[in-house]
Amino acid sequence: MLARLITSTRAQARALSSKSTKVVESTQKGHKDVTTNISAAHNQNVIWSDALLTKDERQKLLNAKNKGATLWFTGLSGCGKSTIAAALEYKLLQMGVNAYRLDGDNIRFGLNAGLGFSAEDREENLRRIAEVSALFADAGVIALTSFISPYRKSRDRAREIHKKRDLPFYEVFAQVPLEVAEARDPKGLYKKARAGQIKNFTGISDPYEEPLNPDITLPTHQLSVDESCEKLIGELKKAGIIKS
């Protein structure tokens, strides 16, 4: 009885071992299909892994009503970029369009919690979010990023990250005079900055470099939130990001 049990157990083990080997072989074959010869500039042992479908094929499988893209909202604190991005996200989702908002403050709760507001940390903050928004866009989502992003160099880098991957990128300038933004002061930050309680505050103790050639300009002291959203939706339709 015991001998039969041992023999049966060994047979089951051999069967499982055989199945495991087949799974590994299948996995390894798939791995070879996606492995490229593209290595990272910072480490030659980091190799790019390709998907098994193109962006267009992904959209067809998802039956998507839109292409992936990034709308990069930039402007002073209090210019309305977060308010407009949140309203636009809601409107797009109501239309059945895949969209997701990446807010500057929200990102600092998690992904970028360890970064401060020095010029170097701001650059790294925006580099990371440019990479993240490019991933969203590659997945067929319209990424709505609302960051002050005060320096042209960092915004240009974000555009370049998307350009290298053939992903649409739109710089959206939420334009407002400093005095209007300061009068709004929804978070009370300008008051603290004027009192010297906040260092490196954009517009007060740190510069804001306005976009020279933004893709879309929203004068938020002249347009309502709904008017701003309609303008953006119109531009997305015109560009073919939202399918008619």
Side-chain angles (χ1 to χ4, degrees):
M1 178 74 173
L2 179 60
R4 283 201 301 271
L5 179 60
I6 292 172
T7 302
S8 175
T9 302
R10 286 176 176 173
Q12 290 175 5
R14 284 195 297 271
L16 286 172
S17 175
S18 175
K19 289 180 181 178
S20 298
T21 302
K22 290 179 180 178
V23 171
V24 170
E25 288 175 352
S26 175
T27 302
Q28 290 301 311
K29 182 179 180 182
H31 182 70
K32 292 176 183 177
D33 289 341
V34 299
T35 300
T36 69
N37 61 354
I38 304 170
S39 57
H42 64 280
N43 188 331
Q44 295 297 305
N45 294 320
V46 177
I47 309 298
W48 183 264
S49 176
D50 259 347
L52 296 179
L53 72 174
T54 66
K55 288 191 288 291
D56 288 340
E57 289 170 340
R58 186 191 302 275
Q59 288 165 15
K60 288 179 182 178
L61 288 173
L62 292 172
N63 196 25
K65 296 182 179 180
N66 64 280
K67 297 179 180 179
T70 291
L71 268 62
W72 190 278
F73 290 82
T74 176
L76 294 166
S77 177
C79 70
K81 57 189 177 295
S82 292
T83 302
I84 295 168
L88 180 62
E89 178 188 38
Y90 185 65
K91 287 178 180 289
L92 290 175
L93 290 171
Q94 285 183 314
M95 296 166 59
V97 172
N98 294 320
Y100 192 82
R101 180 172 66 103
L102 298 166
D103 183 76
D105 279 354
N106 293 357
I107 290 297
R108 287 181 178 272
F109 273 78
L111 178 64
N112 293 346
L115 297 176
F117 290 89
S118 66
E120 293 78 13
D121 277 4
R122 282 182 163 182
E123 286 293 303
E124 176 59 15
N125 181 50
L126 295 175
R127 185 196 68 79
R128 292 182 191 180
I129 204 59
E131 293 285 356
V132 170
S133 60
L135 291 174
F136 272 84
D138 188 53
V141 177
I142 297 178
L144 311 172
T145 71
S146 48
F147 290 73
I148 292 174
S149 44
Y151 310 127
R152 295 189 188 105
K153 180 181 178 181
S154 56
R155 298 193 300 264
D156 288 345
R157 181 192 293 179
R159 184 187 294 276
E160 187 61 26
I161 285 171
H162 286 71
K163 183 178 179 181
K164 285 181 179 179
R165 301 174 192 177
D166 194 27
L167 297 167
F169 178 93
Y170 300 91
E171 185 179 44
V172 181
F173 180 27
Q175 182 186 43
V176 69
L178 175 60
E179 58 269 23
V180 174
E182 189 168 358
R184 291 174 178 171
D185 202 12
K187 303 173 186 176
L189 299 179
Y190 282 100
K191 185 177 180 180
K192 290 180 179 180
R194 290 292 186 187
Q197 297 174 15
I198 300 178
K199 296 180 179 180
N200 307 119
F201 190 78
T202 303
I204 304 299
S205 53
D206 216 46
Y208 176 76
E209 300 173 356
E210 292 191 357
L212 299 177
N213 296 294
D215 299 289
I216 304 168
T217 299
L218 302 173
T220 64
H221 56 302
Q222 297 173 348
L223 297 176
S224 68
V225 173
D226 281 342
E227 288 171 335
S228 296
C229 288
E230 290 308 313
K231 180 174 181 177
L232 291 166
I233 290 171
E235 292 294 334
L236 291 172
K237 287 182 176 179
K238 187 189 301 182
I241 302 299
I242 297 176
K243 300 176 184 178
S244 54

